[in-house]
Amino acid sequence: MIRHSNKRNAVRMSKTVRRISAAAAGLSAVALLAGCAKNAPQDTWQPKGPNAQKIDDLQKPVFAIAGIVGIIVFAAIGYALFKFKDRGQPIPEQTHGKPVLEIGMTILPAVILAGIGIFTFQTIFDLAKTDDTEMVINVTGQQWWWEYDYPVQEQYGITDPIITSGQLVIPSGTKVLLRETSRDVIHSYWIPALNGKRDAVPGRVHTLRLEADEPGIYAGQCTEFCGLSHAVMRMETVALSKDDFAAWVKGQLSLAASPTEGSLAQEGESVFLNQCVRCHQVNGLKKADGSPAIAAPEDNVWSGAAPNLTHLMSRNTFAGASWNLLTKQCRKDVWEASSEEFGKRYLAGVTEECLNQTDLRRWLRNAPAMKPMYADPTKLEETGGKYRGMPNLGLSEDDIDKLVAYLATLK
Amino acid sequence: MFTNGSKYLIGVTGFSAVVLVLYIALVDGAVGGVVALSSIMLAVGLLAGLALFNRDGDVQVGDVAAPANAESVGSSLWPLVSTVGIVAMGIGLITHEIVFLLGLVGLVAGFVEWVIQGWSESASSDRRYNASVRGRLIHPLEFPVLAAVGAAVIVVPFSRIMLAISKTAGAIVFILVGCAVLAGGVVFALRPNLKKTVVIGLCAVGAVGVVAGGIAGASAGKRDQLVEANEEDHFAHKECGEEKSKYFDFNAEAKVSMRSNPTATIEFIGGKLQARELGLNAPRTRITIQKSANISVIFRNKTEGEHRLTLHYGEKEVQEGVVEELHTCTQMIEEGEEQILTFRIDKPSIASEKPYTFSVPGVDDQSIEVFVP
């Protein structure tokens, strides 16, 4: 009877072990297969610039060494578990200490770690260099988007500072230094294909080198938890050839043109002046009396700024690079363009046919529904009623039509 | 009918209910307090119910357990500690939060100790055995807490002493105290047979001295320099008028915390003003800074005499028709000295008719334009 019960328990045990093994194998397979994903723009193993390449050159041998050590350790544990399994044999003679083995097992890891340490420090210092900088861009984090401003650098045609957001545009093959700070909480800037991550801290300026080998778009994401919409605080770095970058700069230095008299876009401009200019600046926009319309986000937004929309349609994304201004097909055409074709397609901006009106209209209709932003000021006593993001403006469908028409002119 | 533990818990539950009623009656709109007190009342009520249900646990300790008898039960201070805790909590509710918290700590500590003592005393009729049972359970908790309290008794008064006396005296005191501790340690090590009472006496005198010094230091307050440093904000001085500060930092860049801050370094060299932006090597006469962010620059005076850096960043209408110029300054600093200037500009440059500039008062032909996109 007892033997029968033991047999039943053994069968049950064996089934459980088989199930656990199958589940573990399944999970491992999923993890392994994830590494084969083709559409993985934030893959840390595919460097596209010299800084990311330096990290990759370090991480690959370190992973290899760690892998070998791991396999040896697990093999040794497995051997010990199997070989010395309790089979009722007498306990072997117990000895205390084995100096040669102990000293060896101390020195060997120390030597491995020291070797890794030397190359790690060398890489850290290489990545911290600023004296070979060719271009400087200020990067400011804010809940939940990134602002970029370009100080005057006449060698690149930047004769007046440029301001943009969402997409950072750089010339390829150029050593760019980002000067990062934050307006509210700690954020972290990370474009995996171009370099490691660097925190943007209020009151401090941290530097991060970026350089892209080839023109293209490189995706990234804020990597420091920064509040409600941290998960949708994304960014993209766009690398253009030097000629294309010069063309982009020229476009960014221009002021927004007034829409054609009597057009829907002109009506949209009025809506913008009534509603949006409280926070969003459009350089060149004038009030009815002819004076420049100056946004006052510092009076309405807790962190003190809102994206400058002067050249909104020159970028492919909006709302913290989390939604596309381009339709799916048009965006695919840009993302998958060859290095030679990329600049031309990117500089074409958002054309009327390519404008993703669906998401833009949804945003204008009720932005907080797409991206949570503590938009109800009555619940924000600590900010004195200021918004942390775009509120629901309660626009009518008619106003949204007009606004979309106006925004489409901001190229 | 009721066991001792449940009597106590029923009493605490009743007390919590009274405090809750008083709180609701006397304090308006403090939902957090009501929730906290209700939670305490419910939690203690639940414990009272549990204690009643299982008659205070009636713990058996395996094979060695034996019925408790009157001899195994000793006197206990913990009910008194718990009572003092409850009284302190009550006083804390109407005086200060810290009193309430201390009372809560006393209540919890007293309650836990009392429960464990009661439990251990029912283990056997042998007091020594009961004490060892209690020790096994409570010592891992008691010893770290007592060690932390002991360290705090030394550290807190010592810090008050060091904050109260001058920097020079502080160094001397530190050296003397260190030497005394070392000497004491050497004596105790060399004379292991020293009488226990002598060792305890010396330690007690030292502890009493430190505590008394700490009380005196706390009464005297921080030394003047520290108080003024706090008031004057030495690292980011903004005083544009007559100098009032005495202790501001003349060598700001030497501070590690300041080194990663500055967006630019502005130097006044031989009567000329020039800026170096982080990452850009060539001197510049126009710098760009981020809007609505706290920005720091270093001002370095390399010209004979005392000079200061002033930032002009537009105007602000303080009341209808009255416009005030916005500016901020470093202190006057001598040649060879430097200072951090921290500021935040909320309006972009295009909002002002006059450009934003850094300048040195008294030097009209030198300025650095500041652009805020």
Side-chain angles (χ1 to χ4, degrees):
Chain A
M1 183 72 183
I2 290 170
R3 195 177 294 165
H4 185 70
S5 169
N6 283 347
K7 199 173 174 185
R8 212 166 42 204
N9 283 343
V11 169
R12 198 179 300 150
M13 190 80 165
S14 158
K15 270 187 184 173
T16 310
V17 169
R18 271 210 301 274
R19 277 181 199 149
I20 291 171
S21 305
L27 280 174
S28 307
V30 168
L32 278 173
L33 287 172
C36 303
K38 281 188 180 170
N39 184 18
Q42 290 176 209
D43 188 346
T44 51
W45 294 91
Q46 292 182 37
K48 303 288 185 192
N51 299 300
Q53 188 63 53
K54 280 182 186 133
I55 296 172
D56 200 51
D57 291 345
L58 178 70
Q59 73 178 352
K60 277 184 177 156
V62 169
F63 266 86
I65 294 168
I68 291 167
V69 171
I71 287 167
I72 292 171
V73 169
F74 277 104
I77 292 170
Y79 173 77
L81 286 174
F82 184 76
K83 172 85 176 171
F84 302 108
K85 186 178 175 185
D86 182 9
R87 298 183 181 90
Q89 71 273 42
I91 293 173
E93 187 191 348
Q94 301 293 297
T95 56
H96 178 75
K98 198 146 194 178
V100 175
L101 189 64
E102 285 172 12
I103 292 169
M105 295 291 276
T106 306
I107 290 175
L108 185 65
V111 169
I112 292 173
L113 289 175
I116 291 172
I118 289 167
F119 293 107
T120 303
F121 276 109
Q122 192 181 340
T123 306
I124 288 171
F125 282 113
D126 279 353
L127 292 174
K129 272 172 71 176
T130 58
D131 55 0
D132 56 353
T133 299
E134 293 171 323
M135 173 181 261
V136 163
I137 302 171
N138 291 328
V139 176
T140 312
Q142 176 174 329
Q143 288 174 326
W144 294 273
W145 57 283
W146 294 93
E147 183 177 85
Y148 308 106
D149 69 77
Y150 298 64
V152 170
Q153 289 161 93
E154 288 178 353
Q155 66 272 37
Y156 296 101
I158 307 173
T159 50
D160 270 311
I162 291 171
I163 184 163
T164 184
S165 64
Q167 284 184 321
L168 169 71
V169 181
I170 60 171
S172 58
T174 303
K175 292 178 178 62
V176 177
L177 187 75
L178 305 185
R179 302 191 301 205
E180 296 178 14
T181 191
S182 166
R183 293 195 174 101
D184 37 42
V185 299
I186 299 176
H187 303 278
S188 189
Y189 198 86
W190 190 33
I191 306 287
L194 302 183
N195 202 343
K197 55 187 81 168
R198 187 60 49 90
D199 282 2
V201 181
R204 304 181 82 86
V205 178
H206 292 171
T207 55
L208 177 70
R209 294 156 62 93
L210 281 193
E211 183 177 352
D213 292 332
E214 299 287 339
I217 298 186
Y218 306 98
Q221 187 141 7
C222 177
T223 52
E224 178 69 43
F225 180 71
C226 56
L228 196 58
S229 276
H230 162 69
V232 278
M233 184 173 175
R234 302 182 59 201
M235 57 273 209
E236 289 172 356
T237 292
V238 176
L240 296 172
S241 68
K242 290 194 168 58
D243 288 345
D244 287 337
F245 182 76
W248 179 82
V249 166
K250 198 175 166 192
Q252 297 294 311
L253 287 172
S254 62
L255 299 177
S258 289
T260 318
E261 195 78 27
S263 64
L264 188 65
Q266 196 191 30
E267 291 181 47
E269 188 185 63
S270 302
V271 178
F272 192 93
L273 280 166
N274 286 332
Q275 295 277 1
C276 315
V277 86
R278 276 183 286 170
C279 299
H280 293 288
Q281 181 68 40
V282 169
N283 299 345
L285 181 66
K286 289 189 170 63
K287 291 191 271 193
D289 61 5
S291 62
I294 306 293
E298 64 278 4
D299 296 334
N300 301 296
V301 183
W302 182 62
S303 304
N308 185 304
L309 300 182
T310 309
H311 300 285
L312 174 67
M313 293 297 155
S314 73
R315 35 206 203 234
N316 293 173
T317 60
F318 70 101
S322 294
W323 281 271
N324 296 319
L325 273 173
L326 290 172
T327 57
K328 206 172 177 183
Q329 183 56 47
C330 291
R331 182 166 170 85
K332 196 177 169 198
D333 289 345
V334 177
W335 271 76
E336 294 180 2
S338 64
S339 296
E340 295 75 31
E341 278 288 302
F342 175 76
K344 191 178 150 195
R345 292 196 189 172
Y346 182 76
L347 289 175
V350 182
T351 59
E352 201 175 327
E353 309 80 60
C354 280
L355 178 60
N356 174 11
Q357 292 212 13
T358 313
D359 283 343
L360 187 57
R361 283 171 185 277
R362 273 176 63 212
W363 181 259
L364 294 173
R365 207 169 282 130
N366 187 2
M370 288 172 75
K371 186 174 182 177
M373 293 180 287
Y374 307 103
D376 184 352
T378 58
K379 292 178 184 166
L380 281 173
E381 287 177 18
E382 65 185 75
T383 63
K386 290 182 180 178
Y387 298 98
R388 285 183 195 244
M390 186 156 145
N392 181 352
L393 296 170
L395 296 169
S396 66
E397 288 302 312
D398 194 33
D399 283 346
I400 291 172
D401 289 344
K402 291 171 185 171
L403 262 181
V404 169
Y406 173 65
L407 294 175
T409 68
L410 301 175
K411 303 215 169 176
Chain B
M1 184 183 166
F2 293 116
T3 52
N4 284 343
S6 52
K7 276 184 203 166
Y8 169 74
L9 288 166
I10 291 166
V12 175
T13 309
F15 183 78
S16 306
V18 173
V19 171
L20 177 63
V21 170
L22 286 174
Y23 190 83
I24 293 169
L26 300 174
V27 182
D28 287 335
V31 182
V34 175
V35 171
L37 287 169
S38 308
S39 304
I40 290 171
M41 188 185 73
L42 288 172
V44 184
L46 182 67
L47 288 174
L50 285 171
L52 267 175
F53 180 73
N54 64 16
R55 299 189 58 76
D56 287 3
D58 193 27
V59 179
Q60 299 295 316
V61 188
D63 299 332
V64 293
N69 62 24
E71 285 179 13
S72 68
V73 179
S75 56
S76 176
L77 275 175
W78 299 119
L80 181 63
V81 172
S82 301
T83 310
V84 170
I86 292 171
V87 172
M89 283 172 70
I91 294 170
L93 280 176
I94 50 174
T95 56
H96 201 278
E97 195 179 339
I98 192 74
V99 180
F100 179 85
L101 287 173
L102 285 173
L104 187 63
V105 169
L107 173 64
V108 172
F111 178 67
V112 170
E113 290 278 8
W114 190 15
V115 166
I116 289 173
Q117 188 178 355
W119 170 79
S120 67
E121 284 171 350
S122 68
S124 74
S125 57
D126 182 350
R127 278 194 186 187
R128 284 176 61 191
Y129 175 77
N130 293 351
S132 75
V133 168
R134 177 190 170 279
R136 275 212 302 277
L137 189 69
I138 199 71
H139 283 169
L141 187 68
E142 271 182 350
F143 288 170
V145 170
L146 288 174
V149 171
V153 166
I154 302 297
V155 171
V156 174
F158 195 68
S159 69
R160 297 306 98 186
I161 295 170
M162 299 303 278
L163 289 171
I165 58 182
S166 72
K167 280 205 286 193
T168 315
I172 293 167
V173 168
F174 205 89
I175 291 166
L176 289 178
V177 170
C179 290
V181 171
L182 180 66
V186 169
V187 170
F188 297 158
L190 293 178
R191 291 284 185 86
N193 297 328
L194 209 60
K195 274 187 178 175
K196 201 175 173 183
T197 48
V198 175
V199 175
I200 292 172
L202 284 173
C203 291
V205 167
V208 169
V210 170
V211 172
I215 292 168
S219 308
K222 291 178 186 173
R223 60 178 174 269
D224 292 346
Q225 290 97 325
L226 292 173
V227 176
E228 288 178 35
N230 197 32
E231 289 168 357
E232 292 170 2
D233 189 7
H234 290 169
F235 290 116
H237 204 76
K238 299 176 179 66
E239 197 175 276
C240 291
E242 190 186 341
E243 301 296 348
K244 293 173 192 160
S245 314
K246 285 183 282 184
Y247 301 107
F248 68 93
D249 197 330
F250 289 96
N251 193 18
E253 207 182 10
K255 302 286 179 292
V256 174
S257 61
M258 289 290 122
R259 281 192 181 168
S260 64
N261 276 340
T263 293
T265 301
I266 297 174
E267 295 183 326
F268 188 46
I269 308 174
K272 290 190 185 303
L273 208 52
Q274 66 175 39
R276 285 183 190 276
E277 275 193 84
L278 182 64
L280 295 171
N281 297 321
R284 299 166 73 82
T285 54
R286 187 182 195 193
I287 65 170
T288 305
I289 63 157
Q290 287 104 318
K291 176 184 171 302
S292 297
N294 289 326
I295 300 294
S296 296
V297 298
I298 286 181
F299 173 56
R300 198 173 283 151
N301 180 17
K302 292 187 173 177
T303 300
E304 197 178 351
E306 277 194 327
H307 298 283
R308 67 155 45 112
L309 185 73
T310 302
L311 168 67
H312 302 272
Y313 56 106
E315 293 170 335
K316 186 181 182 184
E317 194 172 80
V318 284
Q319 58 188 64
E320 203 173 328
V322 182
V323 174
E324 194 176 79
E325 194 203 348
L326 295 170
H327 60 272
T328 180
C329 308
T330 65
Q331 269 205 334
M332 299 289 280
I333 56 173
E334 292 281 359
E335 185 180 7
E337 291 175 345
E338 59 194 13
Q339 197 171 54
I340 288 272
L341 182 65
T342 302
F343 52 91
R344 173 187 162 121
I345 303 178
D346 280 326
K347 288 283 181 193
S349 304
I350 52 170
S352 171
E353 288 177 7
K354 280 199 278 183
Y356 299 161
T357 56
F358 280 116
S359 61
V360 172
V363 182
D364 295 333
D365 60 338
Q366 294 290 313
S367 67
I368 304 286
E369 189 179 346
V370 178
F371 196 91
V372 183

